[in-house]
Amino acid sequence: MISEKMNAAFNKQIKDEMYSSNLYLSMVAYFEEVGLKGFANWMRIQVQEENAHAMGLFDYLIERDGRVIVEAIDKPEFEWDSPLACFEAVYKHEQLVTSLINSLVDVAEQEKDRAAISFLQWYIKEQVEEEANCSEICAKLKLIGDDKHALLLIDQELGARTFVAPVIG
Ligand code: OFO
């Protein structure tokens, strides 16, 4: 069993992960529109990762005899001035998600839900990786400035990213 408060907090996080998925899907469309297929590929994989994060919480809630309520998701942004502006938005968003995961752990601690605290450790570690990945790409984009040739090299590099289904929990 899971407490009502914990159940509601999990449902909110499922919604927030699905928002992340939609935000990155919107970024796929942006990168496709500007002809950066490698960046678009990186974002497509990010969409799959966010779906996996949401489903990890979804399945966990069911396993704990909770009740999943699928909530409406806000419309994400869809326009950015440059690849750097887009990745800065990703970085900012992932920092927000880190704070949301921390708040979810706070609820688990208040509820003395040891099982949820243990399960959520995976998400805490994942956020470190999520922030590091986009911060690294932001740094590269800042470094190259207006160099289009270097941008295409980064595009090629990001085009090689493949999806590896995460083992959550
Ligand atoms: Fe689910 O980690 Fe990004 O948002």
Side-chain angles (χ1 to χ4, degrees):
M1 237 353 241
I2 194 159
S3 76
E4 235 174 80
K5 192 172 172 190
M6 195 74 249
N7 195 136
F10 264 86
N11 274 323
K12 182 182 175 300
Q13 191 61 36
I14 292 168
K15 180 187 108 161
D16 291 334
E17 297 289 344
M18 290 311 296
Y19 175 80
S20 299
S21 173
N22 272 9
L23 174 64
Y24 298 147
L25 189 59
S26 185
M27 290 174 174
V28 171
Y30 163 72
F31 282 119
E32 290 286 357
E33 195 186 332
V34 298
L36 291 168
K37 293 267 176 204
F39 280 86
N41 172 67
W42 194 94
M43 282 299 169
R44 281 176 195 268
I45 286 151
Q46 202 62 17
V47 169
Q48 294 182 76
E49 288 225 341
E50 298 304 346
N51 287 341
H53 295 168
M55 287 312 294
L57 298 160
F58 185 104
D59 289 335
Y60 182 75
L61 199 45
I62 288 171
E63 198 184 343
R64 294 284 307 276
D65 240 355
R67 174 76 166 96
V68 173
I69 306 286
V70 177
E71 295 182 26
I73 303 165
D74 292 339
K75 183 180 179 180
E77 273 178 67
F78 55 91
E79 268 172 344
W80 294 272
D81 289 341
S82 65
L84 175 58
C86 186
F87 265 90
E88 281 178 334
V90 175
Y91 189 29
K92 202 169 147 216
H93 181 68
E94 286 303 332
Q95 287 171 310
L96 170 72
V97 174
T98 298
S99 73
L100 295 174
I101 295 289
N102 287 340
S103 301
L104 188 55
V105 175
D106 287 346
V107 176
E109 281 171 353
Q110 284 157 16
E111 296 295 288
K112 299 193 183 346
D113 189 334
R114 309 272 188 274
I117 294 168
S118 161
F119 172 74
L120 290 169
Q121 297 311 301
W122 185 90
Y123 285 84
I124 291 175
K125 280 190 239 151
E126 175 70 1
Q127 280 313 119
V128 173
E129 202 183 303
E130 291 277 79
E131 285 193 30
N133 288 344
C134 44
S135 155
E136 191 187 313
I137 297 169
C138 281
K140 280 186 187 169
L141 289 170
K142 276 184 195 150
L143 207 65
I144 67 165
D146 290 333
D147 185 339
K148 295 269 182 283
H149 180 69
L151 181 67
L152 291 178
L153 287 177
I154 297 178
D155 189 57
Q156 209 172 44
E157 186 189 321
L158 299 187
R161 187 185 189 195
T162 54
F163 179 63
V164 181
V167 181
I168 299 176

